[in-house]
Amino acid sequence: MPWLPRLTGFLLLPIAALALPGLYAGFLEHGRELFRTPQFWPAALGAVPGVVVGRWVSRHAAWWCTFEHELTHAVVGLPFLLIPYRFIVTPNRGGLVKMFTPPLPLFLLPIPLVGGHIMRLAPYSIPLFALVACVGGDLAGAWAHPAAFAAGVGFLAGYHLYTNLHELRGNASPRLFPDAEGNATHGDIAQSGYLLSAAMIPAMSLASYTVLAILLSRSGWVVILGWVMSVGQTAIALLPALPLPR
């Protein structure tokens, strides 16, 4: 049923657009909270060499960029019941990750359908290594050395800030190209659609870096839940502004 992903994208577009104001406000609010903590300057200083390394890797290590790109697809797809079964990385022909969804009851079908769009656009918006390091380091007790830990997460955040934008610039073409198996295909952004991508990529980026700021400021998981609720309330409050037929 190839029309189902298109219908899902059509429904996701207004949701992502309505979420953007709340996501932006939350990013500013929690960015200010992080600025007031001792972790801010180590993270900010760590981000600078991260950007430099990201720039070098994007220009001189295409295989690593391909690996990171496909790994982000694979990891982000897992919570949405998209299970990778084939992972291909080549030095000069790009990469590919193939996924399957186990049999699901009808009421769970929206999970992989929504996840397909999120997974597809994740390499252009989600700082995977920074988020994994922040969550894993927190669980592993890395806050025993807060300045070094914050600098390390900042380095990874700066690295992703450059590489995500580089991926976006390099993969936005509508043209067909051969994938790692030689089959003609469109890029991720063209597959999800340019209108949906224009809303989803900023929304996912703001959400990812806000979560990173909350974790770095050590505000706690309860604050993340409150932020999610606040974004939802802002989006609902904007519903009357939609140009719906009366």
Side-chain angles (χ1 to χ4, degrees):
M1 291 182 285
W3 57 270
L4 272 177
R6 294 181 183 179
L7 176 61
T8 306
F10 179 77
L11 296 174
L12 271 177
L13 177 57
I15 294 172
L18 287 170
L20 278 171
L23 288 169
Y24 180 67
F27 174 74
L28 293 179
E29 176 187 349
H30 294 290
R32 286 192 292 266
E33 289 295 325
L34 177 60
F35 180 74
R36 299 187 189 104
T37 69
Q39 293 86 258
F40 175 78
W41 284 112
L45 293 173
V48 176
V51 170
V52 174
V53 171
R55 185 174 185 270
W56 186 90
V57 168
S58 296
R59 296 187 174 196
H60 302 288
W63 68 270
W64 172 257
C65 292
T66 300
F67 170 78
E68 180 189 351
H69 181 106
E70 303 305 337
L71 181 66
T72 303
H73 283 317
V75 172
V76 172
L78 288 173
F80 298 98
L81 307 178
L82 297 167
I83 314 301
Y85 67 91
R86 191 172 188 191
F87 192 95
I88 303 173
V89 174
T90 68
N92 51 23
R93 291 185 294 108
L96 179 69
V97 59
K98 290 190 172 183
M99 301 179 179
F100 75 95
T101 301
L104 296 173
L106 190 60
F107 72 93
L108 290 180
L109 193 58
I111 295 175
L113 287 172
V114 170
H117 290 288
I118 293 174
M119 170 275 298
R120 195 174 291 121
L121 300 175
Y124 313 100
S125 53
I126 295 180
L128 179 66
F129 296 157
L131 286 171
V132 169
C134 207
V135 173
D138 199 17
L139 296 175
W143 282 112
H145 308 282
F149 182 55
V153 173
F155 173 88
L156 292 172
Y159 167 83
H160 281 296
L161 187 62
Y162 187 91
T163 57
N164 288 161
L165 291 172
H166 185 268
E167 291 273 7
L168 180 60
R169 184 178 64 181
N171 291 281
S173 171
R175 67 180 178 84
L176 285 167
F177 65 93
D179 64 17
E181 293 182 327
N183 301 311
T185 186
H186 287 287
D188 301 317
I189 293 171
Q191 288 183 41
S192 277
Y194 286 94
L195 277 178
L196 179 62
S197 299
M200 289 283 290
I201 290 174
M204 291 165 60
S205 298
L206 288 168
S208 298
Y209 283 95
T210 300
V211 169
L212 205 57
I214 293 171
L215 293 175
L216 269 179
S217 62
R218 308 195 70 183
S219 300
W221 292 94
V222 174
V223 173
I224 293 179
L225 178 60
W227 160 72
V228 171
M229 293 175 64
S230 175
V231 171
Q233 289 168 355
T234 302
I236 291 171
L238 290 172
L239 275 174
L242 286 178
L244 298 175
R246 303 291 180 181

